[in-house]
Amino acid sequence: MPTVTLESQKNGTMNKAKVKSAKKRVAEEDNDQLPIFDKDVTEKAGEEGDEDLSDSEESVFSGLEDSGSDIDEEEEDDGDDEEEDEDDAALILDENLKNSSGAETSAEPKQQGKKTASKETRKMKKGKGGAIDGRGEKGLTTTFQGLATAQQGDEYEHDTSDEEDIRNTVGNVPMEWYQDYPHIGYNLDGKKIFKPIRSKDELDEFLDKMENPDYWRTVHDKTTASDIRLTDEQVDLVHRLQKGQFGDVNFNEYESSVDFFTNEVMIHPVTNRPQDKRSFIPSLIEKEKVSKLVHAIKMGWIKPRKPKERTPQYYDLWAKEDPNAILGRHKMHVPAPKKRLPGHEESYNPPPEYLLTEEERLAWEQQDAEDRKLPFLPQKHSCLRAVPAFSRFIHERFERCLDLYLCPRQRKMRVNVNPEDLIPKLPKPKDLQPFPTTMSLVYRGHTSLVRSISASPTGQWLVSGSDDFTVRFWEVNTGRCMKTLEVGGAVKSVAWNPNPAVCLVAVCFESTVLLLNPSLGDRLVVSSTDQLITSYEPPEEDKEQAVTWALSEGPEHNKGHRLTLTHPKAVKQVVWHGKGDYLSSVMPDNTSNLQVLIHQVSKRRTQNPFRKNKGLVQCVSFHPLRPYFFVATQRYVRIYNLIKQELTKKLMTNCKWISSMAIHPGGDNLICGSYDCRLAWFDLDLSTKPYKMLRHHKKALRGVAYHRNYPLFASGADDGSVIVCHGMVYNDLLQNPLIVPVKVLKGHQITQDLGVLDVTFHPTQPWVFSSGADTTIRLFT
Amino acid sequence: MGGLQKKKYERGSATNYITRNKARKKLQLSLADFRRLCILKGIYPHEPKHKKKVNKGSTAPRTFYLLKDIRFLLHEPIVRKFREYKVFVRKLRKAYGKAEWTGVERLRDNKPGYKLDHIIKERYPTFIDALRDIDDALSMCFLFSTFARTGKCHVQTITLCRRLTVEWMNYVVTSRSLRKVFLSIKGIYYQAEVLGQLITWLVPYQFAHDHPTDVDYRVMATFTEMYTTLFGFINFRLYQTLNLVYPPKLDSKAESELKAEHEEDYAMDSESYLEKLSALSASLARVVATAEEEENQLDLFPTEGEDQENMQAREKEQKEQEAQNRLFEGLKFFLNREVPRESLAFILRCFGAEVSWDKSLCIGGTYEVADETITHQIVDRPDMDKQYINRYYIQPQWVFDSVNAKMRLPVEDYFLGTTLPPHLSPFVEEKDGDYVPPEKLKLMALQRGEKPVQEDDEEDDEEEEEEEEDDDVDDEELTEEKNLKKMEDTRAHGKTLAVKVTPGKVKPWETGSVGNKVRLEQEEKAEEKRLAIMMMKKKEKYLYDKIMFGKKRTTREVNKLTAKRKAHEDAGKAQKKQKKAKKQ
């Protein structure tokens, strides 16, 4: 037997609680009692023929027929019987439930006592018939014992909710507690109610399900551990409840309503209460309110509502206008400017020249709306009829509105000056004569650009140094080349000794400064110069010098070479002192303090005046009268006192890069030319800043020069022009210096972006020489 | 060192300006209300001289208002009305939400409104001030009066604008103050001289507008609100000066004449009066019935010298003016259906003509097409079926050109179907060196009483001469420089050249004739000028260069126009020749 249970447990596909398995065990034990019970039931089957009929009908209806096709009568009866017994089972009937309980079709073993009791109840129930009505919902929860004890007649007899189930007195406890016992509770007499002895296992249940046609309407009752077969009425009830209908078949839910108050007027009132007194007497409070309103209206406090005047009323706003009335606002108010009036191009039929050509139209279309000169395209229409609406009309008006309230207004001072008035009134150049006006001579001969020129102190000769490694001597008046000297490099600078008693020319190329005696002019002077050089006696103790002095001899002497000063670095410029004994040379070098050297020719001495490097030296110059020395670095000009050996002044030129410098023969003024097209004019007595900046050249200045006697200075630049200026300084300190450009001299051709490279004045005449990159030297007189 | 440290931006220009947002906060207004207030009060932003200082060191782009302006706005009673309106809207919304319809009605009845009278008075203390600023108001009202009554703005605004513009036109007609008219591609410009002020306005052509989406109509509506108030007061005052009834009424005589049978067919009673007024065909009623026009003679004062000249000039001007005012007097015009009726009727009436039109076109036509006394019929179609012999059929441009020329132009150029001469803008006043289209020259000759020159060749000659002149003006500097350069070159090369003896061609100035002396002098002067220019200060040089650049640009433009014209005429001639050749 235990094996079977095991099997049943293994096979169990349906819902098998432990309770069930326990029940089965009991059922198997009581298996032999089954036939007796069966017989008992068959007797009753006859009585309930009508029920059976309905049963079969039900089974047909429920569609279980095919599953239980081979049902034998006996079993059917059995099932019937048992279900008859507990017909008021719990009404929870589900398809699942039906299936699951189908296995329990086998007759339930019952004790005799119990049996009789059940029979009694059944009879009672028969009497009740369809009395289980109106408690559909309740039926779901109530237990069947309620029905059994219910009595007819009493209104609440069906309501068994508070009554105890008298068949099993354990109460509403979980029946699992009785799982392990043979009984499931106690009856009213205190006797144990035993569980039915079942021989039902899974197989039985399955068979039952298959064979018992009433299986679907069988419900297992836990408290009595019996299967209950539901009657037709109960099934019906369940169906109705499932559909949401009333449980009672006879209940009419659509009863015609009867008004309590009919629409007919009755002769008698519903209530016969007499009316209040206050409904007859006028209200005092209201009276007070009304009288207040009336008073207010009388007094004119309240006015009846007037229709509002919507159209604006106009009147003479300026009847009492006061032209002097202060504006409500500040004085800075700027009235809105009027729109520009249209020109010919806006006409619908403009003259043909105002229409845009095809290219102009394309350009107009490609321009941004803001850049366009005209905000519209001029168009020509043959007649007024053909003129279309202007598509941007509203836009333009709107833009005007925006301008009016969004644009900051400003009073623009429109400069309404005559341009002629802007031009400064200068003295006429005619009144400032003499100055060079025309080009009179061109000195040709050099084959490369002429870097430097210098005139002899007598004004008879001119020396020029060029990149073609030659130095040429010219006769000023004829333009004849008197002498040509080949030197060993491109000549950077030449300088004629300013002392008329000495005939010496300093020439620098590469790292050499050469002192030449050109043997031109007065023979006495020439010979005395030679004597001067040869009369040198070396001092006893030979000092170490930065420069080696060498006396030229032989063929070189014949050529005119006298002294050769070999410098350690390339020399850029040589300058004579006014007395003609001292000579300065510049070796631009940003890294050492050896940039400027001062040589004394008579003693063949050389010294380096500076201990410190103050920047790349561009050019140097001696003061013509006093012992001052000017050194121009890139941006500043420093003036040193040679005797005190100190810096006296530092001039800020406001230039980016100084190219040249010249000092007035009086020593009061200084001009600086720069590569950034400026010429700075300094008054040394006044300030360290330029008194005047002239920007009259279009390109970099290369050379500047002062005239020795006349108040003239000249500047040559890369634009090929030489500009001569009149620069007059008055002794009267109150009168401003007069600086007037008097002549633009043009003549030099620009070659390789270089124009005029050097300018120098004739020492006595108002003539100016200029040397250019076009290999020529020109004389302007 | 003692003393409190001076804080930055607490003095000077930083305290004179206020940013827009701060101003808004100070006034406790929303941006829209602030904008409205600014428009109504005529407050505009200011550009500070040192933006960074005012902006407290920041360079962010901001709009600045003068603090004084904003303080001034603080006292404006309208600001309170704005707030009231805000509250009203809130209450109304609530009432709607609660479906309290009586409440809604009550609120609607008590809707807060405001008047702009005091603002107008404040912005324009005198009448002339107001009149001076009326240009924009006129253009705006004319635009709004052409709007369809469909939702872009209130219908009341549109009708009000229409009413005001009609009043204005009637005033101009009665006072005969129209001076210039111009048919542009944008619309029709009118210029009137009212109480000595030149007032110009633009009226769009009568077409339905397609309303652009990128235009804020609220801004325009606010402007219009202000303009209508201003305009109404101005109209009132103007009518007063002419002794006219305001709001305008038609003459009783004219009214009876205009009593058409089918009046009610044309417009509703409420509108027909305005329509009649806008027809402009009848004169207006006066407060005191006076004789037509009393000529107020200028008192003559004994004057001397310049004053006398001035007086004479003034008198001459006045005479001209009177002549212009009677330009079309005695003429009878009939407008065809296709011409813009309102503008033409307005212009013709302004100069004393009688105008009529087809009954179906508009109310107020006084005589029919068949009237034998009609002198001119204005037509804008290529051809007419039925033509009367005793009248001119002319195109509308004739009227406009005649008004601008201040004389009746010969009608031949404007006949039916002829190619019209170009329509010139009367607003252009050519200065020296500006381009003058040849048509204008012709017109000026006509005005002087000269006979129009017919020969093409002469014209051409004239033009050519002109061109030469232009060229001279244009390249004055250039040529100067060139000449100088040449001179110098020759001088520079003078000596070297002298070696090379070239036959013939003696340099003219070397011969020493009088002309050459002059030339030499000129050159000298030019050089002096150039040298002086070199000595100019940087600032002045900049300015000078700018001026010269501007001058050059104008001359360049003039040259371009003349060249274009010449090319056009050449092309025309070539075509004519071709045609001739073909004919032959």
Side-chain angles (χ1 to χ4, degrees), chain A residues 221-420:
Chain A
D221 181 16
K222 275 179 190 168
T223 44
T224 54
S226 55
D227 283 341
I228 304 157
R229 182 181 165 277
L230 300 182
T231 59
D232 280 352
E233 288 84 27
Q234 285 166 340
V235 168
D236 216 24
L237 175 66
V238 168
H239 278 303
R240 275 210 304 282
L241 289 177
Q242 273 181 332
K243 283 179 194 163
Q245 291 167 340
F246 282 97
D248 189 0
V249 191
N250 301 320
F251 181 71
N252 184 6
E253 39 189 315
Y254 303 109
E255 203 97 46
S256 58
S257 69
V258 180
D259 286 345
F260 177 70
F261 294 107
T262 60
N263 51 357
E264 296 154 28
V265 180
M266 300 294 183
I267 52 166
H268 298 294
V270 178
T271 63
N272 207 9
R273 195 160 167 262
Q275 270 185 312
D276 285 328
K277 187 187 175 185
R278 63 168 179 263
S279 61
F280 300 108
I281 302 169
S283 159
L284 271 178
I285 299 165
E286 276 180 14
K287 185 186 165 192
E288 223 166 81
K289 274 187 183 167
V290 168
S291 67
K292 262 185 188 171
L293 285 173
V294 168
H295 181 64
I297 290 171
K298 271 185 190 166
M299 299 299 284
W301 297 336
I302 297 178
K303 280 179 191 136
R305 190 179 290 157
K306 274 191 291 184
K308 269 200 177 167
E309 190 61 57
R310 289 292 177 192
T311 49
Q313 291 299 308
Y314 298 119
Y315 50 90
D316 194 357
L317 188 69
W318 293 280
K320 280 184 284 176
E321 73 181 18
D322 179 11
N324 302 325
I326 306 158
L327 270 173
R329 39 201 319 193
H330 53 89
K331 288 172 199 154
M332 282 169 80
H333 176 67
V334 182
K338 295 198 170 190
K339 277 198 108 176
R340 251 191 83 233
L341 290 171
H344 297 312
E345 62 278 350
E346 207 181 308
S347 167
Y348 87 103
N349 181 15
E353 61 267 34
Y354 287 98
L355 294 172
L356 297 187
T357 58
E358 204 52 44
E359 304 98 66
E360 279 170 335
R361 178 199 295 275
L362 278 177
W364 187 90
E365 272 159 9
Q366 275 163 3
Q367 266 174 333
D368 271 348
E370 284 160 14
D371 301 337
R372 285 172 186 164
K373 219 172 153 207
L374 286 175
F376 54 88
L377 270 175
Q379 282 160 346
K380 195 178 181 94
H381 302 280
S382 59
C383 55
L384 189 57
R385 189 181 68 231
V387 184
F390 186 59
S391 59
R392 285 190 56 80
F393 196 93
I394 295 177
H395 271 118
E396 286 200 346
R397 201 96 288 284
F398 178 63
E399 273 155 25
R400 170 72 177 168
C401 285
L402 291 186
D403 284 353
L404 284 178
Y405 91 96
L406 278 182
C407 270
R409 294 184 201 162
Q410 260 178 339
R411 264 185 217 285
K412 276 263 173 167
M413 292 302 289
R414 186 161 285 281
V415 203
N416 202 4
V417 281
N418 187 3
E420 300 300 317

Side-chain angles (χ1 to χ4, degrees), chain A residues 538-553:
Chain A
E540 284 98 62
E541 41 184 305
D542 218 4
K543 257 191 181 173
E544 190 68 19
Q545 286 189 356
V547 167
T548 51
W549 292 73
L551 197 64
S552 306
E553 282 167 359

